[in-house]
Structures are given as structure tokens and as C-alpha cells.
Amino acid sequence: MINFTFYTPTRVLFGVGRIKEVGSEIKKSNVKKVLLVAGGGSIKKNGVYDTVIASLQEQGIDWVELWGVVPNPVLSKVMEGISLAKESGVDGVLAVGGGSVIDTAKAIASGIYLDDVWASFLGKEKIKQALPLFVVLTISATGSECNGNFVITNEETKQKLGNHSPLVYPKVSIIDPSVQRTLPWNQTANGACDALSHIMESYFSGGGNETTLYVDEALTKAIIDATDKLMLNEDDLEARANLAWAATLALNGVSAAQLKGDWASHDIEHAISALHPEVAHGAGLAVVFPAWITHVWKENEPTFRRWARNVWDTDDVLTAVERLKSTYKRWGLPISLRELNLEKSEIPAIAQNATQLGKLGTVKELAQEDVEKILEIAY
Amino acid sequence: MINFTFYTPTRVLFGVGRIKEVGSEIKKSNVKKVLLVAGGGSIKKNGVYDTVIASLQEQGIDWVELWGVVPNPVLSKVMEGISLAKESGVDGVLAVGGGSVIDTAKAIASGIYLDDVWASFLGKEKIKQALPLFVVLTISATGSECNGNFVITNEETKQKLGNHSPLVYPKVSIIDPSVQRTLPWNQTANGACDALSHIMESYFSGGGNETTLYVDEALTKAIIDATDKLMLNEDDLEARANLAWAATLALNGVSAAQLKGDWASHDIEHAISALHPEVAHGAGLAVVFPAWITHVWKENEPTFRRWARNVWDTDDVLTAVERLKSTYKRWGLPISLRELNLEKSEIPAIAQNATQLGKLGTVKELAQEDVEKILEIAY
């Protein structure tokens, strides 16, 4: 067994019709003016923006808006947000969107107090303070609504790096699964793959930690069931709720308790999308993870066999990998680098980018050559 | 689907050797003097008391001690604690023990600010403030280390009632599973049954809420596996850790998300131990729950059948109940009222006590006659 700390202070308001509570929640925290961070405009189409604004107005909370956060969110937008937050004198940040919007909001909320926000991603400056953060979630995938993690891409240096601080946990996150019914299918599928991958990053580093292994298998099955149901009927509210809640638990500490975690597959995916920002995070993971399992499973055979048996009903790990790939394929996700339109010749550069800060993973420590092998399997 | 709020702000420090962190955690919260609440003295035998005191001294935190909390903790001890807390001017409460100790500590922490602490159990006075609470857990069972619930028995009125406030969540709970290796076996078994019962109270009220149903099945299997391993070897640290962590998740909100909950079985057990304080809570639940299932399962057949299939590998609910009872029996728990040394003639009085504040449960609303029927099945 390993020691761990479980800390998940975010208050989650889950359910249909709860977005209108956002104003009163912000008011309870004594925040007067927020920076509203948003993406490309889908929240204007699905009514979420109008509900949020009405709630802010009703509670007398002022706001300024930062639009245009893109998938694989970038440092330049974070810098723009920090300037705007400083100029306008906000005392809180409100993210209305998915993981990219929340991660950008976390970087702004903490970055406003830093000399150089990017230095904190490189471990050169420490986050000591942050504006209170509130979240209205519009796509379940990254789990960012209920943790202290955030990932930003520096477009200039072509680095996509993760960051963490207990100070950027959202105070409140509102998850109304009904607003996700209008998502394009590929976003639902990418989100499901991202959530599954978060569970696998923890699970495969396990051994005797059976409580969390059982819970992780449960979340895996819940995500697969819910996504299969949504493939048949994107309007299925119960399946939306099940997928949304499982995606939150997949990265709020529950799936990772007792476990060391690996995270090499995420690092490899980050290198792919740092160099190819058009690759969605979930799609990249669908390509990388099966290849990573194929390369490393003999390093922790009992746990990979347990996963094969308890999730995929087979004793053979490689058969389980094929079933995972079929699942992704059924959902319309890519399962090869080729399908992401990458050239085989790019593999060394991706592997070099992935390992620039050192070896990856814990199940097997991966050097550049290992990452190249995994990418060749994935090709 | 139903709307819910998930809020679990307690910071859990889990693992071997972590009890010595208690002083620095209390100091971080700026607390200078705590009321240390404890039970009958087992913490002096297993070394936990010495570790706690050394840590308080090292951090310069003063304390006064309240000893003698008993299983099925009583109001008179709460009153004694409130007086002592007021006299000695403490600004925090530190519970060192199991659920009874923690529940007493919660009642004191909130009761110090109330005109009449028992009135808050009857819903006649509202908890508006509480001293910060810290916990060192010595037996995993009630989940009280990570929630806002507490149950106290009023010896005069013979009422055992639950209470809840978000203000009494522990700030920090330390769970070192290694200190539980010296527990008498019946306490381990009672604890496992209590944790299983918390999951069942939520689970059986479910339907389409598959994510939580899957998670609850996982926790159920984890608890059964870990307890079976401990029956073979009470020193098995990994099994202690798995049981401890599953018991925390069984009542910190994770097992209950998306679900309404039933809680009739707990109410019936509370009536039994209000009238017979010698009955341990876990033992009472082992008797009541199988009988409750037998009486109500047809009210929510699909979910009871799912439980039978996914946990007990049978399609027949009554066969599953027999397997649950065999499990309890294997662990040395009582499975009939007779084994609790109760007379059949007491059934009407117990049923009357259980329903004194109204009907029980949600799966089926139970009037006094229903409770009598359940107790007859349990006899």
C-alpha cells in the first residue's frame, strides 16, 4: 500500500436546471466581479451563456468577458486573460465551457499573482495565491471541474505542459448534463476516451490496492455503457448524467487513491498535440493508450490481466487491447497515428518532444527509444 | 436522474505513520487548544494516544481530555464535553477513536453554540456554527471521518437520532490502517457490516443511475474481499487499507451520488440499540438488513436483481440474501434478533420506537406494521 492524501474541496452542483445557481454561489464567496472565460461561442447557441448572465445580473455581480479559448489552449490566451483581469479589477474567475476553458481560467487565476506564469509550468516559480474560480461545465471529459490540474500549450516553444496547485480547485462547479445533449458526437466520444484514459493512468500502476482497482473497473464499465447508449441516442439524459459523473470521478482523486499513477500516455499525447494542435486530446489518447499497453503490460502483468478479465472478459491482455480499440473504433475515434494524418517520419521528433524534461511513466520508465517504439506500434 | 450536491471538503491523510502529522495540521488551522475526545482507553494500549500527544506538544498545541465515550454514544457525555469545552476555552475539537468518538465530538463542536443541543437532533434548533474538528481514526466503520453526519442516543427519552451539518465535516482526518491491526475481530466485522450497509442504503434506491450503482457494487466487493482476507490474517496491512478506504468512500458522498437513499434499516437498528444499548450498530444492521431486503425487494425489482447478479452471482434476490447472511455468519456476526438476545415480545415496542417520528424509508414507506413484519422475519 502507498500513502496518499485525498482532498477534493470543490462543491459540485449536479443536475438539470442548476446553472442558474451560479450567481448566488459566486455571491456567497463575496466575489463582486468575475472574468468570464469562454470558448468559440457554442454557449451562446445552447442557452448556457444567457442563463449564466441572467444569474449574474440577478445577484448584482459584474463581469468582463474573455472569448476564444481553443482546444489545446494556448499561453497567449492566458496572457491576454491575465492582462484583462488586472485592468478590469476582477476578484474572481468564472469558466463557462469544457476543459480547455477551465484550464485557461486556472492559469489566469493563478498567473495574475506570478511574475511569469509559464515559469510555474516549468517548476521555476511556485503558485502561492489564486483568484477564486467558479465553473459551469459544458462538456465532460478532462475532470478539470473538480481538481487542481491544468494543461497549457506554449505555442512559441511548442511545449504542452501540465501544472497543479491546490489553490486552483474550483470553489463550485455546476454540471448540468442536459446541456451536453447538443454536443457534436466526436466531442462526446473524445470526452469519453479522455475520462477512460484518466482511469487507466492510475489503474495500471496498481497491485494490491483492490478498493481503487474495483472502483476504477466500475467507472470504466459505466463510461463504456453510457457512451454506447449515447451513440444510439444522443438525447439520453440518464446516459449523459452517468457519463458526466463518471468523468468527474475519473480525475477528482477517487480513481487515483492508493495508486502511484503512470501518465506516460498523457505525456506522449501532449507531445503529439503540441506539434499538431489540430489533434484533439481525446483522439490522441485513443491512438496512444492501446499502443502503450501493448509495449508495457509485461511490467505489471497481474494488474493488466485483472483489467483484461474484469473489464473485457478475457484472460489475454492483447485480446483486451483489441476490444478497447474496437470500442474506440465503434465510437468513431481514430486508433492509429495514420488516421491523425501524421507521417511516420515525425515519430522521432514527437518522442524527443515528449521526453524533453526526462523519462516518462512509472509502470515502465520510458526513454526516447521506448516512446518511438510505442509510436511505431500506434502508427 | 436526480439532482445532487457533492461536497466532501475533509482533507484525508491516509497511510502508515501519518498520525504524527496531527499537530501540524491543527496548527495550520490556527487552533491553539483542543478538546481531545476519546473512548475507553484502547488508544493508550495501541500507541495512538502517545503519538498524538507527542505531536501536539511538538507543535505547542494545548489540550484538555474527555474520556469515556461508549459505543452508541450518549447525550450525557456530549453535555459533559460541552461544559468542559466552555470552561477550558478550547478553540477546536480533536476526536481520537472510531465513529462514536467522532459523533460525540461533532455534537460538542456544534453544541457549544446551541441553546439546547438535543433540540438540533429534533429539528427544532439549527446548527449555525461549529468549532473546527480534527480526527484520528482508529476503526473504519461509520464513515464519520469524512462526512457531516452524527448519531447520538438520548438515554432519558430512549431516542437514538441522527443529525447533519456541513459545518461539522472534519477539517482533516488521519487514517492509519496499521493501527487497526490490533482490533478485536468482532469490531472489524461490525465495521465491515456497517460500511456495507451504508452502501446498500443508497444502492437499493437506484435505477438508471448506473455510474453510482457500478461504484457501489465495486465497494461492496472490495469490502467483502478485504474482510475475508482479514479473517484469515488480521495483520494483513493491505487488506486493512482496502477495508478502511472503502469504508470512508461508503459514506463520504461517493456511494450516494445520484441516489435518493433509503435509510429505513438504519432507523430500525437505531430503535433496537436505543432500547438495547449493548447491541453494536454493525451487529444490529447484520440482523435488520437482510430482513428488510426480503420484505421490500419487489418494490424496486430491477435494482435488487442487478445487485443479486453483479454482487452475488445469482438472478434470484432471495438466494442473494442467503449469500449475504452466510457472509455475515462466516464473519461471526449475528443474523437474527434471537442471537441479539431479544425477546419476540419486544418487537412492537421496537417498531413503535423506530416510527415515532413518522414513516421510514423511500424504497417502500414503512409504517409500524411493516417494521413489525421485518422484525419478525429477522427474529
Side-chain angles (χ1 to χ4, degrees), chain B residues 196-197 199-206 213-214 216-218 220-221 224 289-294 297 300-325 327-328:
Chain B
L196 281 178
S197 302
I199 294 163
M200 291 193 286
E201 292 286 16
S202 289
Y203 183 93
F204 292 124
S205 70
L213 296 186
Y214 270 127
D216 285 354
E217 291 155 6
T220 301
K221 288 187 269 188
I224 295 171
F289 231 118
W292 175 84
I293 298 171
T294 306
W297 73 274
N300 188 12
E301 206 173 316
T303 300
F304 282 90
R305 285 204 190 277
R306 180 188 162 115
W307 173 75
R309 199 166 49 247
N310 290 359
V311 176
W312 302 104
D313 204 20
T314 169
D315 283 317
D316 180 54
V317 176
L318 295 180
T319 304
V321 170
E322 286 311 311
R323 290 182 187 169
L324 173 65
K325 284 165 78 176
T327 303
Y328 288 159

Side-chain angles (χ1 to χ4, degrees), chain A residues 205-240:
Chain A
S205 69
N209 349 53
E210 283 205 296
T211 293
T212 305
L213 297 186
Y214 270 126
V215 168
D216 285 354
E217 290 155 6
L219 291 172
T220 301
K221 287 186 271 189
I223 292 167
I224 294 171
D225 279 11
T227 310
D228 278 340
K229 283 181 184 164
L230 289 171
M231 204 169 60
L232 296 175
N233 174 12
E234 297 186 49
D235 253 353
D236 182 336
L237 184 58
E238 197 121 54
R240 285 278 170 209

Side-chain angles (χ1 to χ4, degrees), chain A residues 1 3-6 8 11-12 14-16 18 208-211 214 218 222 225 229 238 241-242 245 257-258, chain B residues 1 3-6 8 10-16 18 208-211 214 218 222 225 229 238 242 245 257-258:
Chain A
M1 62 152 292
N3 291 358
F4 65 95
T5 297
F6 180 78
T8 167
R11 184 191 302 272
V12 180
F14 191 104
V16 177
R18 301 207 68 174
N209 349 53
E210 283 205 296
T211 293
Y214 270 126
D225 279 11
K229 283 181 184 164
E238 197 121 54
N242 282 313
W245 183 234
Q258 308 183 286
Chain B
M1 63 154 290
N3 291 357
F4 65 96
T5 296
F6 180 78
T8 168
T10 303
R11 183 191 302 274
V12 179
L13 311 185
F14 191 104
V16 177
R18 301 207 70 176
N209 349 53
E210 283 207 295
T211 292
Y214 270 127
D225 279 11
K229 283 182 184 164
E238 198 121 54
N242 282 314
W245 183 235
Q258 308 184 287

Side-chain angles (χ1 to χ4, degrees), chain A residues 1-5, chain B residues 13-25 46-48 51-52 55 58 136-137 173-181 237 241:
Chain A
M1 62 152 292
I2 61 161
N3 291 358
F4 65 95
T5 297
Chain B
L13 311 185
F14 191 104
V16 177
R18 301 207 70 176
I19 294 174
K20 61 178 186 290
E21 297 176 44
V22 68
S24 58
E25 289 296 330
N46 62 14
V48 170
T51 309
V52 167
S55 177
E58 201 180 296
V136 172
L137 187 71
S173 281
I174 302 182
I175 305 172
D176 178 344
S178 71
V179 306
Q180 301 191 28
R181 287 181 296 182
L237 184 58

Side-chain angles (χ1 to χ4, degrees), chain B residues 154-174:
Chain B
N154 182 330
E155 315 101 293
E156 280 180 28
T157 64
K158 294 205 182 297
Q159 288 172 302
K160 181 176 178 180
L161 297 179
N163 204 339
H164 176 88
S165 167
L167 297 168
V168 301
Y169 276 91
K171 300 287 168 230
V172 174
S173 281
I174 302 182

